[in-house]
């Protein structure tokens, strides 16, 4: 019989676990994207569902396999995020999908990126216990995101997408909790 024993959890992993658990539930998201430098705007509404993933669950093992981790059970926790989005201005469905996040140290492993269906990683840190900051780089682009929990009923998010040092898009979000999965 083989068991996987994790002897310690880093403070980053403890914080991300608490953050994911506090985020679990369903959210109504109102977003506005600004395309730069033209200033074109896009308004999106989404229903986002976040489910906390315990260590060694099937989803995190699959994520570990996608990233060729030597120990596929090494991810300390994670989140499954699904969404359905509607373009408010054009009154049509924009997108729907699901993505997985898994934490190991100060790296988030993802099964897909914002602009790719390929697995990606993001460096993360907390600027405060309620504010998660991510930096993801792929395809010569940089995606910086800040997600802030405001009490138990609200979140704000801001995303900045850059390429070759030039900002291409800014996304700003206000998310209101619909239900809690605790």
């Amino acid at each position: 019989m083989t068991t996987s024993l994790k002897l310690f959890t880093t403070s980053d992993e403890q914080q991300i676990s608490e953050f994911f658990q506090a985020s679990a539930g369903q959210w109504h998201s109102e977003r506005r994207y600004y395309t730069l430098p033209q200033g074109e705007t896009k308004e999106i509404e989404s229903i986002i569902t976040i489910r906390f993933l315990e260590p060694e669950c099937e989803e995190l093992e699959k994520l570990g396999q996608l990233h060729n981790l030597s120990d596929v059970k090494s991810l300390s926790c994670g989140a499954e995020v699904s969404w359905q989005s509607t373009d408010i201005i054009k009154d049509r469905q924009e997108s729907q999908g699901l993505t997985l996040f898994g934490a190991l140290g100060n790296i988030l492993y993802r099964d897909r990126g914002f602009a790719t269906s390929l697995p990606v990683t993001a460096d993360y840190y907390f600027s405060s216990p309620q504010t998660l900051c991510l930096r993801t780089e792929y395809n010569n682009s940089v995606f910086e995101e800040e997600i802030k929990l405001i009490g138990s009923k609200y979140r704000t998010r801001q995303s900045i997408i850059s390429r070759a040092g030039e900002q291409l898009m800014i996304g700003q979000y206000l998310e209101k909790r619909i239900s809690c999965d605790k």
Side-chain angles (χ1 to χ4, degrees):
M1 180 172 168
T2 310
T3 61
S4 175
L5 177 62
K6 190 157 189 167
L7 298 176
F8 64 93
T9 301
T10 68
S11 61
D12 288 333
E13 290 172 333
Q14 181 63 36
Q15 276 191 295
I16 195 74
S17 177
E18 290 169 4
F19 189 87
F20 283 157
Q21 289 177 62
S23 296
Q26 196 169 54
W27 299 83
H28 177 258
S29 179
E30 297 172 358
R31 327 173 170 202
R32 180 171 280 176
Y33 292 103
Y34 300 93
T35 304
L36 304 173
Q38 304 91 332
E40 256 180 64
T41 61
K42 191 177 206 179
E43 293 187 35
I44 305 291
E45 278 191 3
S46 302
I47 299 298
I48 299 170
T49 303
I50 301 172
R51 185 169 64 93
F52 178 71
L53 299 176
E54 297 280 349
E56 298 187 20
C57 70
E58 183 179 332
E59 293 90 343
L60 290 181
E61 286 185 32
K62 287 180 183 174
L63 189 57
Q65 290 169 352
L66 260 179
H67 283 276
N68 297 313
L69 297 178
S70 58
D71 179 0
V72 296
K73 295 182 179 197
S74 62
L75 296 172
S76 65
C77 69
E80 174 189 85
V81 179
S82 60
W83 68 91
Q84 283 193 297
S85 300
T86 303
D87 184 318
I88 299 304
I89 295 170
K90 295 180 181 175
D91 192 29
R92 67 170 190 189
Q93 184 170 335
E94 180 71 14
S95 68
Q96 65 180 18
L98 182 138
T99 190
L100 299 174
F101 295 84
L104 181 59
N106 68 339
I107 297 175
L108 277 182
Y109 291 82
R110 300 176 60 177
D111 65 337
R112 58 174 295 142
F114 180 75
T116 181
S117 59
L118 299 175
V120 298
T121 59
D123 293 323
Y124 77 90
Y125 68 92
F126 285 87
S127 61
S128 78
Q130 296 80 27
T131 307
L132 171 63
C133 301
L134 305 168
R135 181 181 173 91
T136 309
E137 296 184 40
Y138 57 87
N139 296 339
N140 298 317
S141 295
V142 176
F143 303 82
E144 295 174 286
E145 188 165 21
E146 177 186 273
I147 308 167
K148 182 174 187 165
L149 291 167
I150 302 171
S152 62
K153 296 181 182 177
Y154 299 97
R155 293 179 2 150
T156 59
R157 291 171 43 196
Q158 179 163 285
S159 301
I160 301 171
I161 302 170
S162 306
R163 180 173 291 137
E166 184 176 332
Q167 292 74 30
L168 303 176
M169 182 178 286
I170 297 172
Q172 295 180 317
Y173 316 63
L174 173 62
E175 298 176 342
K176 301 173 189 171
R177 188 183 294 278
I178 298 170
S179 68
C180 187
D181 283 352
K182 290 183 180 181

